[in-house]
Amino acid sequence: MKRRMRRFTAFAIAMLLFVCLFPGQGHASASGVYFTAANENLLELSNDTMPFYSNGVLYVSSRLFEGTDLGVSYARHTALGLATLYTSTKDLRFDLAGQVTYDKQNNFYSGYAVERSGIVFFPLKLVCQYFDLTWSYNETDFVPLIRVKNDSVVLSDKDFIYAATSLMSDWYNEYRRGQTSQPSRPPSVPDPPVISDPPVPVQAAEGQKVYLLFDGRDALELLPALDDMQVTFLLTAEDMDNGDLLRAIVAGGHAPVLRLTGETEEEAASQLLRGQEALWRAACARLELAWDDSEQDLSALIAEAGCVQVSAGIELSGQTASGLLRTIGGHREDVAVRLGGSECLTVLPEVLDGLREAGYRLSVWRLTA
């Protein structure tokens, strides 16, 4: 009952602001500065609450889960070096020193938390996927807004921004005054995590396979680093227009996968046809594999085209080589790992050596995989 009353009060206040306030004049967005909100709760603008990007991963502050109505709670276990996000039914445990993330069933996940100036920051995409939350990015008259939501959200992003304009103005001006009087390190640069010497990855289960997936647009750069190993490449329909690229992939025994990015099913179907024709024209090969990179479920469309849908259980996502090996070591079944494009070349040799030493079978994804 109390929770319903708090939600109603927050809604009433937001609607009052919506009626009474007018948006301010536009301001240039300060680089690396963001507002954060949980449903209708706008967080104070400070370095303790500021999201930031690191290696392409968006991190949000643990403050987002303290005293808000997202339904996810935060706990810090300093003695164990753990930070935990949890609900009444499940949790995510972040080993800060080891850069490992797992749940109470000892399932491991790609991505890790970092600590900066005593505040823990979590990878937003992983947290939202695990706890069934959504998030959005919106420009405001001041700086961009990162808003995390659950199914109890009331206002649309547009209405929320409109209603909170006055509060955003106050906090933005206060933040700028504080930065001017006491310069601090840019919030987009996290404190480097403390990394202990990593243990050897868990030994592979008998016959356990690892499928390595790479972004096909960088295939010509990646192929020399792969030696004679056969891997899987993800290519958009546009990538597949490059006949030389397709021929190099197929000739090396690698598996081409079409990344479907269409906003509608009709666009995805068009991409499927385009990819099938391009692969046959360039290499006389039939398209067998597809990756759904859209905002919808294309599994039926992929099956109708006679393709197998490819997915990855683990992504590199800015992990170190040792961190990725530990994540893979937490799986006792065959697993697909997406390493990305040419940016993974710095860690690829260590990853490959570690997987071989642990006894994993490095395989290319085939129709029968």
Side-chain angles (χ1 to χ4, degrees):
M1 184 65 181
K2 290 182 179 179
R3 182 177 178 182
R4 292 180 60 189
M5 286 299 296
R6 287 197 301 268
R7 191 175 301 159
F8 177 79
T9 301
F11 174 70
I13 292 172
M15 292 307 297
L16 179 61
L17 286 168
F18 177 77
V19 172
C20 297
L21 298 178
F22 295 90
Q25 300 299 314
H27 294 266
S29 176
S31 176
V33 180
Y34 300 87
F35 278 116
T36 316
N39 289 335
E40 279 67 46
N41 183 8
L42 181 70
L43 273 64
E44 182 179 352
L45 190 62
S46 72
N47 288 345
D48 287 351
T49 63
M50 194 84 67
F52 62 84
Y53 280 91
S54 177
N55 294 319
V57 178
L58 178 60
Y59 288 85
V60 293
S61 170
S62 55
R63 296 290 174 84
L64 192 67
F65 306 98
E66 297 177 324
T68 63
D69 62 347
L70 288 176
V72 179
S73 300
Y74 164 69
R76 177 71 187 275
H77 312 282
T78 304
L80 298 176
L82 291 177
T84 303
L85 293 176
Y86 63 94
T87 66
S88 59
T89 58
K90 55 185 180 179
D91 65 33
L92 271 182
R93 306 174 186 187
F94 298 83
D95 182 340
L96 298 174
Q99 293 184 303
V100 174
T101 303
Y102 58 96
D103 61 22
K104 57 187 175 183
Q105 282 81 36
N106 281 326
N107 299 310
F108 284 73
Y109 298 87
S110 175
Y112 54 88
V114 298
E115 184 176 1
R116 189 186 69 188
S117 301
I119 304 297
V120 177
F121 290 79
F122 299 103
L124 180 57
K125 181 179 178 181
L126 169 61
V127 171
C128 285
Q129 289 177 341
Y130 187 81
F131 291 107
D132 298 320
L133 303 173
T134 61
W135 70 278
S136 58
Y137 171 99
N138 288 277
E139 296 290 344
T140 75
D141 289 335
F142 310 98
V143 296
L145 167 70
I146 304 295
R147 190 181 184 205
V148 183
K149 298 162 282 190
N150 63 8
D151 56 9
S152 68
V153 65
V154 176
L155 296 176
S156 67
D157 288 345
K158 180 180 178 181
D159 289 347
F160 174 74
I161 293 170
Y162 191 18
T165 297
S166 179
L167 190 56
M168 286 182 176
S169 177
D170 291 344
W171 281 350
Y172 178 67
N173 290 330
E174 182 178 342
Y175 176 79
R176 290 189 64 187
R177 287 193 296 268
Q179 295 300 296
T180 302
S181 61
Q182 189 176 3
S184 63
R185 183 176 168 182
S188 59
V189 181
D191 287 339
V194 177
I195 305 173
S196 57
D197 292 332
V200 176
V202 175
Q203 189 70 19
E206 184 176 356
Q208 185 179 357
K209 296 179 181 178
V210 172
Y211 303 97
L212 299 181
L213 280 62
F214 297 89
D215 292 346
R217 68 178 185 276
D218 294 336
L220 297 181
E221 295 180 63
L222 291 164
L223 288 174
L226 298 174
D227 297 322
D228 296 327
M229 185 177 62
Q230 296 176 331
V231 299
T232 306
F233 286 106
L234 307 177
L235 303 108
T236 64
E238 290 77 12
D239 294 331
M240 286 193 167
D241 288 337
N242 185 339
D244 291 337
L245 179 64
L246 285 180
R247 282 187 286 272
I249 290 173
V250 174
H254 308 287
V257 181
L258 175 61
R259 282 180 55 204
L260 296 174
T261 60
E263 295 183 1
T264 66
E265 188 168 329
E266 290 74 18
E267 290 180 355
S270 177
Q271 290 174 349
L272 264 171
L273 180 60
R274 181 177 172 182
Q276 289 170 330
E277 292 177 346
L279 186 57
W280 181 258
R281 182 172 59 250
C284 295
R286 188 171 71 88
L287 182 66
E288 298 180 336
L289 306 169
W291 172 288
D292 185 358
D293 219 0
S294 69
E295 298 296 328
Q296 53 194 317
D297 183 4
L298 299 176
S299 56
L301 179 66
I302 292 171
E304 289 173 6
C307 296
V308 168
Q309 185 167 341
V310 174
S311 61
I314 299 173
E315 296 196 16
L316 178 59
S317 298
Q319 294 188 71
T320 62
S322 57
L324 179 64
L325 291 171
R326 285 194 295 271
T327 302
I328 295 171
H331 292 256
R332 307 307 293 162
E333 69 286 341
D334 294 349
V335 62
V337 181
R338 185 177 182 181
L339 292 171
S342 57
E343 69 278 2
C344 76
L345 284 170
T346 56
V347 300
L348 185 58
E350 185 178 347
V351 169
L352 296 180
D353 289 345
L355 291 173
R356 291 182 178 119
E357 290 174 7
Y360 292 96
R361 294 174 58 191
L362 305 182
S363 301
V364 61
W365 202 309
R366 298 297 186 194
L367 188 62
T368 56

